[in-house]
């Protein structure tokens, strides 16, 4: 097979020409009847590039290799093209092995059977009264009845001792909050250095509330 070699701003040596011809012959045997083959060598920013094309009757392979030398670039391009040729050959052989009936065989459409839910069995009383099946099988709606306690629940008040709820020394609001958190107190009565009286208590949401006593 004749291989067309093209050089653009590079020089093709005799060894490089033989490497290209041997590699293209191997690819041509994999593809079958080859009509044309060409290899182009060029350089771009000190990078050697090899571009090859192999055309068969119904398929064309194109590959590119880049490396620091022309031999390495051509080697990468030939390996890429040979991989494509092997895939094309396997695909062609698989298609020839299948008989014509298997090639045209398509999966039949799946028929879905229409299923209905099972109808409930009718009791003897329903059959004797002559009630229709739909009215007999229809469930009755249930009503939830709420019951109320006879006597309301009485919650006993929480008694706090005065020694635990009254701060003896004057303190600021920040000190009172820290004291209540540290002592885990729900209620604290204190007065500030100016003599004003306050009640610090914990609300239901967990936050601390402050009441000023005039």
């Amino acid at each position: 097979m004749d291989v067309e070699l093209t050089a653009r701003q590079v020089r093709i040596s005799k060894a490089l020409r033989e490497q290209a011809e041997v590699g293209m012959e191997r690819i041509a045997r994999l593809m079958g009847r080859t009509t044309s083959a060409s290899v182009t060598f060029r350089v771009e920013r000190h990078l050697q590039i090899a571009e090859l094309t192999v055309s068969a009757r119904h398929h064309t392979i194109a590959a590119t290799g880049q490396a620091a030398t022309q031999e390495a670039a051509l080697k990468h391009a030939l390996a890429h093209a040979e991989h494509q040729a092997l895939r094309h050959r396997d695909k062609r052989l698989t298609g020839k092995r299948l008989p014509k009936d298997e090639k045209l065989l398509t999966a039949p459409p799946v028929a879905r059977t229409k299923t209905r839910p099972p109808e409930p069995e009718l009791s003897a009383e329903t059959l004797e009264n002559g009630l229709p099946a739909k009215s007999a099988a229809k469930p009755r709606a249930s009503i939830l009845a709420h019951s109320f306690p006879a006597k309301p629940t009485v919650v006993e008040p929480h008694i706090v001792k005065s020694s635990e709820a009254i701060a003896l020394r004057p303190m600021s609001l920040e000190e009172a909050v820290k004291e209540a958190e540290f002592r885990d107190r729900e209620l604290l009565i204190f007065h500030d250095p100016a003599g004003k009286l306050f009640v610090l208590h914990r609300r239901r949401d967990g936050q601390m509330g402050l009441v000023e006593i005039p």
Side-chain angles (χ1 to χ4, degrees), residues 108-121:
V110 180
R112 297 182 178 179
T113 58
K114 297 182 179 180
T115 59
R116 295 182 178 179
E119 297 182 357
E121 298 181 359

Side-chain angles (χ1 to χ4, degrees), residues 21-200:
E21 291 177 353
V22 172
M24 298 297 275
E25 286 287 348
R26 183 170 62 253
I27 295 173
R29 287 194 298 268
L30 295 174
M31 295 186 63
R33 297 180 182 179
T34 305
T35 57
S36 63
S38 62
V39 182
T40 302
F41 297 95
R42 60 187 179 89
V43 62
E44 182 177 349
R45 295 182 181 180
H46 306 287
L47 186 65
Q48 303 293 331
I49 301 176
E51 299 175 345
L52 59 89
T53 303
V54 183
S55 299
R57 293 183 59 185
H58 304 289
H59 190 68
T60 301
I61 287 178
T64 303
Q66 300 180 0
T69 61
Q70 293 180 346
E71 291 78 7
L74 178 59
K75 183 179 179 181
H76 293 334
L78 290 173
H80 188 197
E82 186 174 353
H83 179 69
Q84 296 184 48
L86 288 172
R87 292 176 55 187
H88 175 68
R89 184 198 64 178
D90 296 340
K91 184 178 180 180
R92 187 178 69 252
L93 294 177
T94 304
K96 288 183 178 180
R97 291 172 183 173
L98 293 176
K100 296 182 178 181
D101 296 339
E102 294 185 6
K103 292 180 181 180
L104 301 177
L105 182 62
T106 57
V110 180
R112 297 182 178 179
T113 58
K114 297 182 179 180
T115 59
R116 295 182 178 179
E119 297 182 357
E121 298 181 359
L122 301 180
S123 59
E125 182 181 357
T126 304
L127 296 176
E128 291 178 0
N129 298 333
L131 296 177
K134 293 183 179 180
S135 61
K138 185 177 180 181
R140 295 181 179 180
S142 58
I143 301 176
L144 180 62
H146 296 276
S147 59
F148 298 93
K151 296 181 180 180
T153 304
V154 179
V155 180
E156 296 182 358
H158 177 64
I159 301 175
V160 181
K161 296 181 181 180
S162 60
S163 59
E164 298 178 358
I166 300 176
L168 301 179
R169 63 180 180 85
M171 60 181 61
S172 63
L173 177 59
E174 292 77 8
E175 294 175 344
V177 173
K178 293 181 180 180
E179 180 71 15
E181 293 291 343
F182 180 74
R183 301 296 181 182
D184 194 15
R185 295 179 179 178
E186 301 292 335
L187 181 67
L188 180 63
I189 302 174
F190 69 99
H191 61 280
D192 60 0
K196 293 183 180 181
L197 191 62
F198 298 93
V199 177
L200 186 66

Side-chain angles (χ1 to χ4, degrees), residues 177 180-181 184-187 200-210:
V177 173
E181 293 291 343
D184 194 15
R185 295 179 179 178
E186 301 292 335
L187 181 67
L200 186 66
H201 66 96
R202 189 178 300 278
R203 300 182 303 185
R204 294 183 178 180
D205 58 357
Q207 301 296 329
M208 300 299 293
L210 181 66

